[in-house]
Amino acid sequence: MFAAIPVVCTLLGGVLLRAVGVRPAWRVAALGGLLAVLAVVLNERAGVGSIGGLFAAPLLLAGAYAAAAAVVLPRTASRRRWAVLAGVLLLMWPLTGVLSDYRVSDRKLRELAASRVPLLAPDVDGYRLYFPSADEYSGRFTYLLLPTSVKPSADDRERRGVWVAVAPQVAGFAPPGACESESSSGRTGAGPCEQVAPDTWRSSHYDSTRYIARRQGVIAVFSTQGPSVSDSDLRAMAASLSVRSPGFFVDE
């Protein structure tokens, strides 16, 4: 369907342009339809969104057909104008990518700044932080810690990384006898746990391990699956927990 859009634009545009006396109508319609599709793609790449795209659509279409007319119509066509059009299109791709990254970062900063819990995170060599998310409804703040050698797109990232959840203390949290707390996958760990450091506990179940740290009046839970993450790394993560600024998570 996407490939058919330029064809439809060319047919309809050619009829309309010919009706209002544009000559050669079909050349303008063909190039204008192609440029209109490229304009929409660039608009989406920039992350303007559906509402912004709705209001921008008439301007994008007008600009696309005006550019097509400027380089195709006999009175205005020239090699220089073709070169300018090609240069603008090539320049718009990286520019829209930069704008998209800025909008994503800005949106993430505002989301994290509105977090209902302190933005607690460790600073451990050999690990990077991905997917920070502050849920305004549950009051939970989560992210994934991965070894620097593991890509965030890896299929086994769940078993080689550490999911961290920071959330208010639940009523069932009374260590070491009862260690119920909010993890990244929901409320877990109603059983006992062992204390390994001040305000820090450890709980194991089959191949999963949880380190639980009470800091700043909230609970941070480090959850792992399998033996990929060492106990010493988990202990270092819990020990280095500190309140970070929203920019810390976006810069990572």
mmCIF file of all heavy atoms in Angstrom, residues 216-235:
data_model
loop_
_atom_site.group_PDB
_atom_site.id
_atom_site.type_symbol
_atom_site.label_atom_id
_atom_site.label_comp_id
_atom_site.label_asym_id
_atom_site.label_seq_id
_atom_site.Cartn_x
_atom_site.Cartn_y
_atom_site.Cartn_z
ATOM 1 N N GLN A 216 16.766 5.674 50.945
ATOM 2 C CA GLN A 216 15.939 6.878 50.772
ATOM 3 C C GLN A 216 14.450 6.611 51.024
ATOM 4 O O GLN A 216 13.579 7.234 50.420
ATOM 5 C CB GLN A 216 16.125 7.440 49.348
ATOM 6 C CG GLN A 216 17.542 7.812 48.981
ATOM 7 C CD GLN A 216 18.024 9.046 49.728
ATOM 8 O OE1 GLN A 216 17.251 9.962 49.993
ATOM 9 N NE2 GLN A 216 19.305 9.052 50.071
ATOM 10 N N GLY A 217 14.163 5.661 51.907
ATOM 11 C CA GLY A 217 12.777 5.372 52.248
ATOM 12 C C GLY A 217 12.043 4.519 51.224
ATOM 13 O O GLY A 217 10.830 4.325 51.342
ATOM 14 N N VAL A 218 12.747 4.007 50.201
ATOM 15 C CA VAL A 218 12.131 3.135 49.196
ATOM 16 C C VAL A 218 12.951 1.857 49.070
ATOM 17 O O VAL A 218 14.033 1.741 49.652
ATOM 18 C CB VAL A 218 12.022 3.838 47.817
ATOM 19 C CG1 VAL A 218 11.102 5.051 47.907
ATOM 20 C CG2 VAL A 218 13.401 4.254 47.322
ATOM 21 N N ILE A 219 12.439 0.916 48.296
ATOM 22 C CA ILE A 219 13.092 -0.378 48.119
ATOM 23 C C ILE A 219 13.572 -0.529 46.680
ATOM 24 O O ILE A 219 12.799 -0.339 45.733
ATOM 25 C CB ILE A 219 12.135 -1.532 48.465
ATOM 26 C CG1 ILE A 219 11.586 -1.375 49.879
ATOM 27 C CG2 ILE A 219 12.841 -2.876 48.309
ATOM 28 C CD1 ILE A 219 12.628 -1.416 50.972
ATOM 29 N N ALA A 220 14.846 -0.869 46.513
ATOM 30 C CA ALA A 220 15.412 -1.180 45.195
ATOM 31 C C ALA A 220 15.672 -2.676 45.122
ATOM 32 O O ALA A 220 16.306 -3.242 46.017
ATOM 33 C CB ALA A 220 16.703 -0.399 44.966
ATOM 34 N N VAL A 221 15.166 -3.311 44.075
ATOM 35 C CA VAL A 221 15.301 -4.757 43.907
ATOM 36 C C VAL A 221 16.094 -5.048 42.637
ATOM 37 O O VAL A 221 15.722 -4.602 41.546
ATOM 38 C CB VAL A 221 13.926 -5.440 43.840
ATOM 39 C CG1 VAL A 221 14.089 -6.945 43.625
ATOM 40 C CG2 VAL A 221 13.139 -5.179 45.123
ATOM 41 N N PHE A 222 17.179 -5.802 42.768
ATOM 42 C CA PHE A 222 17.993 -6.262 41.642
ATOM 43 C C PHE A 222 17.626 -7.717 41.371
ATOM 44 O O PHE A 222 17.845 -8.574 42.228
ATOM 45 C CB PHE A 222 19.478 -6.159 41.972
ATOM 46 C CG PHE A 222 19.957 -4.761 42.244
ATOM 47 C CD1 PHE A 222 19.749 -4.170 43.479
ATOM 48 C CD2 PHE A 222 20.605 -4.039 41.258
ATOM 49 C CE1 PHE A 222 20.198 -2.886 43.740
ATOM 50 C CE2 PHE A 222 21.056 -2.748 41.504
ATOM 51 C CZ PHE A 222 20.845 -2.166 42.747
ATOM 52 N N SER A 223 17.096 -8.002 40.193
ATOM 53 C CA SER A 223 16.626 -9.352 39.869
ATOM 54 C C SER A 223 17.445 -9.937 38.728
ATOM 55 O O SER A 223 17.654 -9.279 37.703
ATOM 56 C CB SER A 223 15.145 -9.327 39.465
ATOM 57 O OG SER A 223 14.351 -8.755 40.480
ATOM 58 N N THR A 224 17.896 -11.189 38.889
ATOM 59 C CA THR A 224 18.652 -11.874 37.849
ATOM 60 C C THR A 224 18.063 -13.245 37.591
ATOM 61 O O THR A 224 17.383 -13.827 38.438
ATOM 62 C CB THR A 224 20.128 -12.052 38.245
ATOM 63 O OG1 THR A 224 20.197 -12.944 39.364
ATOM 64 C CG2 THR A 224 20.740 -10.724 38.618
ATOM 65 N N GLN A 225 18.338 -13.770 36.395
ATOM 66 C CA GLN A 225 17.962 -15.133 36.026
ATOM 67 C C GLN A 225 19.223 -15.858 35.589
ATOM 68 O O GLN A 225 19.896 -15.434 34.657
ATOM 69 C CB GLN A 225 16.939 -15.124 34.893
ATOM 70 C CG GLN A 225 15.636 -14.437 35.231
ATOM 71 C CD GLN A 225 14.682 -14.420 34.047
ATOM 72 O OE1 GLN A 225 14.912 -15.085 33.035
ATOM 73 N NE2 GLN A 225 13.615 -13.667 34.163
ATOM 74 N N GLY A 226 19.531 -16.952 36.263
ATOM 75 C CA GLY A 226 20.722 -17.703 35.895
ATOM 76 C C GLY A 226 21.956 -17.169 36.596
ATOM 77 O O GLY A 226 21.931 -16.160 37.303
ATOM 78 N N PRO A 227 23.098 -17.836 36.346
ATOM 79 C CA PRO A 227 24.339 -17.509 37.049
ATOM 80 C C PRO A 227 25.220 -16.497 36.326
ATOM 81 O O PRO A 227 26.396 -16.352 36.666
ATOM 82 C CB PRO A 227 25.035 -18.868 37.130
ATOM 83 C CG PRO A 227 24.623 -19.546 35.853
ATOM 84 C CD PRO A 227 23.233 -19.073 35.542
ATOM 85 N N SER A 228 24.718 -15.807 35.289
ATOM 86 C CA SER A 228 25.576 -14.933 34.484
ATOM 87 C C SER A 228 26.138 -13.767 35.291
ATOM 88 O O SER A 228 27.269 -13.330 35.068
ATOM 89 C CB SER A 228 24.801 -14.402 33.277
ATOM 90 O OG SER A 228 24.398 -15.473 32.439
ATOM 91 N N VAL A 229 25.343 -13.232 36.204
ATOM 92 C CA VAL A 229 25.780 -12.089 37.003
ATOM 93 C C VAL A 229 26.292 -12.613 38.343
ATOM 94 O O VAL A 229 25.572 -13.314 39.058
ATOM 95 C CB VAL A 229 24.638 -11.089 37.217
ATOM 96 C CG1 VAL A 229 25.132 -9.894 38.024
ATOM 97 C CG2 VAL A 229 24.083 -10.635 35.874
ATOM 98 N N SER A 230 27.508 -12.269 38.687
ATOM 99 C CA SER A 230 28.107 -12.778 39.917
ATOM 100 C C SER A 230 27.504 -12.117 41.143
ATOM 101 O O SER A 230 26.977 -10.994 41.085
ATOM 102 C CB SER A 230 29.620 -12.548 39.892
ATOM 103 O OG SER A 230 29.910 -11.166 39.974
ATOM 104 N N ASP A 231 27.626 -12.829 42.261
ATOM 105 C CA ASP A 231 27.119 -12.297 43.520
ATOM 106 C C ASP A 231 27.885 -11.037 43.930
ATOM 107 O O ASP A 231 27.301 -10.103 44.491
ATOM 108 C CB ASP A 231 27.237 -13.365 44.612
ATOM 109 C CG ASP A 231 26.449 -13.021 45.851
ATOM 110 O OD1 ASP A 231 25.219 -13.174 45.825
ATOM 111 O OD2 ASP A 231 27.065 -12.570 46.847
ATOM 112 N N SER A 232 29.163 -10.996 43.627
ATOM 113 C CA SER A 232 29.955 -9.809 43.971
ATOM 114 C C SER A 232 29.506 -8.584 43.180
ATOM 115 O O SER A 232 29.490 -7.464 43.701
ATOM 116 C CB SER A 232 31.439 -10.079 43.723
ATOM 117 O OG SER A 232 31.675 -10.395 42.353
ATOM 118 N N ASP A 233 29.121 -8.788 41.907
ATOM 119 C CA ASP A 233 28.619 -7.671 41.108
ATOM 120 C C ASP A 233 27.292 -7.159 41.675
ATOM 121 O O ASP A 233 27.067 -5.939 41.753
ATOM 122 C CB ASP A 233 28.430 -8.097 39.651
ATOM 123 C CG ASP A 233 29.737 -8.132 38.876
ATOM 124 O OD1 ASP A 233 30.756 -7.686 39.439
ATOM 125 O OD2 ASP A 233 29.736 -8.616 37.734
ATOM 126 N N LEU A 234 26.413 -8.078 42.032
ATOM 127 C CA LEU A 234 25.138 -7.672 42.609
ATOM 128 C C LEU A 234 25.338 -6.909 43.912
ATOM 129 O O LEU A 234 24.677 -5.906 44.176
ATOM 130 C CB LEU A 234 24.258 -8.895 42.847
ATOM 131 C CG LEU A 234 23.699 -9.569 41.591
ATOM 132 C CD1 LEU A 234 23.087 -10.924 41.944
ATOM 133 C CD2 LEU A 234 22.662 -8.678 40.916
ATOM 134 N N ARG A 235 26.277 -7.372 44.727
ATOM 135 C CA ARG A 235 26.541 -6.696 45.993
ATOM 136 C C ARG A 235 27.125 -5.307 45.745
ATOM 137 O O ARG A 235 26.791 -4.344 46.441
ATOM 138 C CB ARG A 235 27.486 -7.539 46.837
ATOM 139 C CG ARG A 235 27.657 -7.024 48.250
ATOM 140 C CD ARG A 235 28.356 -8.033 49.135
ATOM 141 N NE ARG A 235 27.649 -9.310 49.182
ATOM 142 C CZ ARG A 235 27.796 -10.223 50.134
ATOM 143 N NH1 ARG A 235 28.632 -9.978 51.136
ATOM 144 N NH2 ARG A 235 27.138 -11.347 50.104
#
